[in-house]
Amino acid sequence: MPRYGREDEEWEQLVEAGLAFLIERAQLRTFTTYTELNAALVRRTGLRGFDFGQDSERAAVGDLLATIVERELPKTGLMLSALVRYLDRNDAGTGFYKFAEELGLLERGASSLKKEEFWFKQVNELHGHYAR
């Protein structure tokens, strides 16, 4: 069944390419943006990119990142999506924190300070885990 207009095989290609790209960012001890992630997915898969001007396409990228997190979380206990930032921000987006709450990694209704501390810890642990 298609997800966001993408066949299962296409979706799987995007997940695998996104996972590999985010692991590479972690190994380099750096971050990425949604725009850079989108470009990397197109370059690595040859598939069409996501149109961030469309609500459904932004939701698709969020779902893609959630799938990546769910794949790696049992192995690392960490959220790889912590490495993805908006161009004009120095932390993760609201979807990251909401998903962390859903996963039970962050207390519901956490203060801005607690969210920032959680994100910072995730980033540091991701860099430490993958950059060995």
Side-chain angles (χ1 to χ4, degrees):
M1 182 170 167
R3 282 173 104 160
Y4 301 97
R6 313 263 184 161
E7 294 298 325
D8 290 344
E9 183 178 307
E10 184 178 349
W11 188 258
E12 185 60 27
Q13 288 177 332
L14 292 167
V15 169
E16 289 297 321
L19 175 61
F21 178 72
L22 291 179
I23 288 173
E24 289 167 14
R25 298 299 95 179
Q27 290 170 333
L28 294 170
R29 294 183 175 268
T30 191
F31 298 93
T32 190
T33 64
Y34 287 93
T35 302
E36 184 181 35
L37 172 64
N38 195 30
L41 293 173
V42 170
R43 191 173 53 253
R44 291 171 182 224
T45 67
L47 300 171
R48 71 173 170 84
F50 292 96
D51 177 0
F52 294 133
Q54 304 278 333
D55 288 341
S56 63
E57 294 281 290
R58 288 191 303 275
V61 172
D63 193 26
L64 181 76
L65 287 170
T67 303
I68 291 168
V69 166
E70 289 169 341
R71 287 234 176 126
E72 281 298 289
L73 190 65
K75 299 173 193 170
T76 65
L78 302 169
M79 296 178 69
L80 263 173
S81 61
L83 302 178
V84 184
R85 303 184 308 192
Y86 292 109
L87 282 172
D88 59 346
R89 296 202 31 199
N90 195 28
D91 74 344
T94 56
F96 170 79
Y97 298 113
K98 183 178 179 200
F99 192 44
E101 289 176 355
E102 290 172 12
L103 293 171
L105 300 174
L106 179 66
E107 68 185 60
R108 294 207 181 267
S111 68
S112 295
L113 179 60
K114 290 285 185 193
K115 288 177 180 177
E116 187 176 305
E117 288 171 348
F118 172 77
W119 173 72
F120 190 70
K121 183 176 183 204
Q122 288 286 303
V123 168
N124 282 330
E125 290 184 11
L126 282 163
H127 288 165
H129 178 80
Y130 288 102
R132 296 179 203 182

